Amino acid sequence: TYALSNSCSHGVKISCVFYVYRVGKAALDSVNLKGHSFLTLKDFNAEEIKHILWVSADLKHRIKHRGEYVPLLQGKSIAMIFEKRSTRTRMSTETGFSLLGGHPCFLTPQDIHLGVNESTTDTARVLSGLADVVLARVYSHSSLEHLDIDASIPIINGLSDLYHPIQVLADLLTLQEHYGSLKGLTLAWIGDGNNVLHSFMMSLAKLGVNLKVATPKGYEPDANVTQEAQLLSKQFGTKLQFLMDPMETARDSSVLVTDTWVSMGQEEEKKKRLKDFLGYQITMQTGSVAAPDWTFLHCLPRKAEEVDDEVFYSPRSLVFTEAENRKWTIMGLMVCILTDYTPQIPKLKF
């Protein structure tokens, strides 16, 4: 043990110490995400996604249920760039980072405007010397890719036009908690082919979850993402279906999911979008053809035309647990990419 500790002070990763001091199943976990950026779930395999969820569940158990103080990020700081307004992403990141002993720094477009007052390259390099990690909520996914190229610290996608991976982490943890396992579930997406759907498409097959998608004509998911999702479905032996009929999509599905029909930046299209999405509202009638134990998810904010009150406020709705899990999963992700922490609870069943 002493020899390993000496080695660690000369460049070997501290994870070596955990392997010495921790025995049993947890010590056998070989996933190491320290220093990794998190731009899309496309870049993460099944075991890495499961590991993030395991760490998230562990932190939730230790901090929420056992009342422990777990300052794993003490002395660390996060720069939070927000080109778009936010409730859940900002609150979950600020409160979560603080709860772990770190210091969050919130930057609005008035504080930092990527590529305008200062080049994105220069911003990435400056922040790399001032913070330990950057979370950016941006319009264009290319902004994140540019930051990641020039930064020497991890970059987290807080939302982009193409992906919203931290939302899907929360959804996956919520479903794992509710059903006890993810494998074999069928998720029905009924709505717009947007960034949240894209993140589901890049992750569900890896976890053994089937996906059915219903979008109005003209609102299908990105063609490149679809092509990659089809390859993943074939590789992992799951079902992936694209339909236009919401009822057929809901049939025998375990989870009904929708999202806003009018995202930020699409306000001028609102009238047309509401017309095009007629018939896509999720109601108890939609649920009548789903699996007997069906549940409902929505990443919020929600409008009544997307899902009626009867479903949204029903016991089948997991939306508020889902919203809370935004905090635990962003905490789990940050711990994974900034530390060598090994969870104390048994591995989750997937």
Side-chain angles (χ1 to χ4, degrees), residues 7-45:
S7 298
C8 288
S9 67
H10 290 83
V12 177
K13 292 183 178 179
I14 195 70
S15 55
C16 298
V17 177
F18 280 108
Y19 295 143
V20 174
Y21 288 113
R22 292 188 181 276
V23 296
K25 292 182 179 180
L28 301 176
D29 186 74
S30 59
V31 174
N32 187 345
L33 297 174
K34 190 174 181 181
H36 286 225
S37 288
F38 189 75
L39 304 190
T40 165
L41 285 160
K42 170 186 172 182
D43 298 333
F44 291 77
N45 64 35

Side-chain angles (χ1 to χ4, degrees), residues 78-341:
I78 182 170
M80 302 165 54
I81 300 172
F82 278 64
E83 292 185 338
K84 291 185 173 186
R85 64 184 183 272
S86 167
T87 301
R88 281 149 294 278
T89 300
R90 178 178 179 179
M91 282 295 295
S92 62
T93 306
E94 284 196 0
T95 59
F97 209 84
S98 297
L99 200 54
L100 292 166
H103 181 71
C105 304
F106 182 72
L107 301 168
T108 70
Q110 285 68 48
D111 304 303
I112 184 170
H113 200 172
L114 287 177
V116 177
N117 296 324
E118 184 174 42
S119 72
T120 303
T121 295
D122 291 358
T123 295
R125 292 181 178 180
V126 167
L127 292 179
S128 294
L130 300 176
D132 298 280
V133 60
V134 172
L135 180 141
R137 185 178 178 94
V138 299
Y139 284 97
S140 173
H141 191 75
S142 63
S143 296
L144 293 167
E145 294 173 330
H146 195 165
L147 278 173
D148 192 43
I149 289 170
D150 292 307
S152 58
I153 58 177
I155 306 296
I156 297 175
N157 181 356
L159 176 144
S160 71
D161 57 348
L162 195 57
Y163 295 112
H164 196 0
I166 58 173
Q167 175 61 53
V168 167
L169 287 179
D171 294 352
L172 293 173
L173 181 62
T174 302
L175 295 176
Q176 194 282 332
E177 289 175 337
H178 182 82
Y179 289 104
S181 178
L182 296 175
K183 190 174 182 179
L185 293 178
T186 296
L187 187 144
W189 178 274
I190 300 172
D192 193 12
N194 65 8
N195 50 6
V196 178
L197 174 58
H198 291 163
S199 289
F200 274 128
M201 292 167 70
M202 291 297 97
S203 58
L204 292 184
K206 299 171 187 177
L207 301 170
V209 180
N210 305 306
L211 176 61
K212 298 167 75 176
V213 178
T215 59
K217 187 173 178 58
Y219 296 91
E220 297 87 355
D222 179 85
N224 291 327
V225 175
T226 298
Q227 185 176 14
E228 292 181 44
Q230 288 169 333
L231 293 174
L232 286 172
S233 180
K234 187 176 294 185
Q235 178 184 349
F236 291 96
T238 61
K239 294 179 180 178
L240 175 62
Q241 296 176 271
F242 296 94
L243 308 163
M244 292 185 65
D245 183 352
M247 294 298 288
E248 190 57 36
T249 303
R251 190 173 305 281
D252 300 323
S253 295
S254 317
V255 190
L256 306 184
V257 191
T258 193
D259 192 2
T260 181
W261 295 347
V262 186
S263 297
M264 284 178 280
Q266 298 174 336
E267 288 81 5
E268 292 183 3
E269 306 171 30
K270 182 175 181 178
K271 187 174 180 180
K272 181 180 187 304
R273 281 178 163 265
L274 292 181
K275 180 180 178 182
D276 292 343
F277 280 86
L278 281 176
Y280 277 75
Q281 183 192 47
I282 294 180
T283 65
M284 283 297 179
Q285 183 180 358
T286 317
S288 69
V289 299
D293 60 346
W294 69 274
T295 53
F296 173 75
L297 294 178
H298 191 303
C299 68
L300 307 179
R302 160 260 184 178
K303 301 293 188 297
E305 60 263 18
E306 300 148 5
V307 54
D308 68 7
D309 285 356
E310 189 178 8
V311 171
F312 188 76
Y313 293 109
S314 76
R316 294 185 181 274
S317 175
L318 305 178
V319 294
F320 297 110
T321 300
E322 176 187 12
E324 181 192 334
N325 279 339
R326 286 293 306 278
K327 178 170 77 170
W328 302 113
T329 48
I330 195 66
M331 290 167 67
L333 174 62
M334 293 186 294
V335 165
C336 284
I337 65 178
L338 291 175
T339 78
D340 294 296
Y341 178 71

